[in-house]
Structures are given as structure tokens and as C-alpha cells.
């Protein structure tokens, strides 16, 4: 999941620049085919790091790269 999320942040940054925002929903397809993983991502985003719904992709990528 971590590598996929980093890749998605990289793609969004490449397309729209360093100010682009991202939500953890961006890491999943429109189908909720893995609710456990979605909840894990939500917990990491909301409980662990207390991030807003949209955060700068560069900030999220930095957290992921740091192993946070």
C-alpha cells in the first residue's frame, strides 16, 4: 500500500505541482473491494497523523517515505 500511495502522490505532483492536495481515498479505486485496507489507511490518516481531509501530496509523500 505504501509504495502505491507514494506513486499516486508522485503522479499528482508531476501533473499539478507541489501544491496539489490529496485525500487517502485517492489511493483506492472507486470500488470498495478491500475495506480492511481502506480502514487501515483511514486510521493512519486520521488517528495517527491527524491529517485534514485534503493534505498537500508532498507532505503525505514525505510521511510515507519516512516510514511514518
Amino acid at each position: 500500500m505504501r509504495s502505491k500511495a507514494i506513486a499516486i502522490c508522485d503522479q499528482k505532483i508531476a501533473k499539478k505541482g507541489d501544491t496539489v492536495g490529496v485525500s487517502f481515498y485517492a489511493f483506492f479505486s472507486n470500488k470498495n473491494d478491500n475495506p480492511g485496507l481502506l480502514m487501515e489507511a483511514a486510521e493512519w490518516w486520521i488517528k495517527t497523523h491527524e491529517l485534514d481531509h485534503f493534505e498537500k501530496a508532498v507532505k503525505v509523500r514525505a510521511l510515507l517515505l519516512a516510514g511514518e
Side-chain angles (χ1 to χ4, degrees), residues 38-60:
L38 177 64
M39 291 306 294
E40 184 179 327
E43 184 172 329
W44 179 89
W45 191 280
I46 298 166
K47 284 187 175 180
T48 304
H49 295 288
E50 298 179 347
L51 300 174
D52 289 335
H53 183 74
F54 281 96
E55 289 286 348
K56 301 288 185 210
V58 291
K59 177 181 179 178
V60 175

Side-chain angles (χ1 to χ4, degrees), residues 6-65:
I6 291 168
I8 289 170
C9 287
D10 287 342
Q11 291 169 3
K12 289 190 174 289
I13 293 165
K15 282 185 180 178
K16 297 193 177 190
D18 288 345
T19 61
V20 68
V22 69
S23 166
F24 69 88
Y25 289 114
F27 307 142
F28 297 90
S29 63
N30 289 337
K31 289 185 175 181
N32 187 6
D33 56 356
N34 193 337
L37 191 57
L38 177 64
M39 291 306 294
E40 184 179 327
E43 184 172 329
W44 179 89
W45 191 280
I46 298 166
K47 284 187 175 180
T48 304
H49 295 288
E50 298 179 347
L51 300 174
D52 289 335
H53 183 74
F54 281 96
E55 289 286 348
K56 301 288 185 210
V58 291
K59 177 181 179 178
V60 175
R61 181 181 62 187
L63 288 170
L64 291 164
L65 289 171

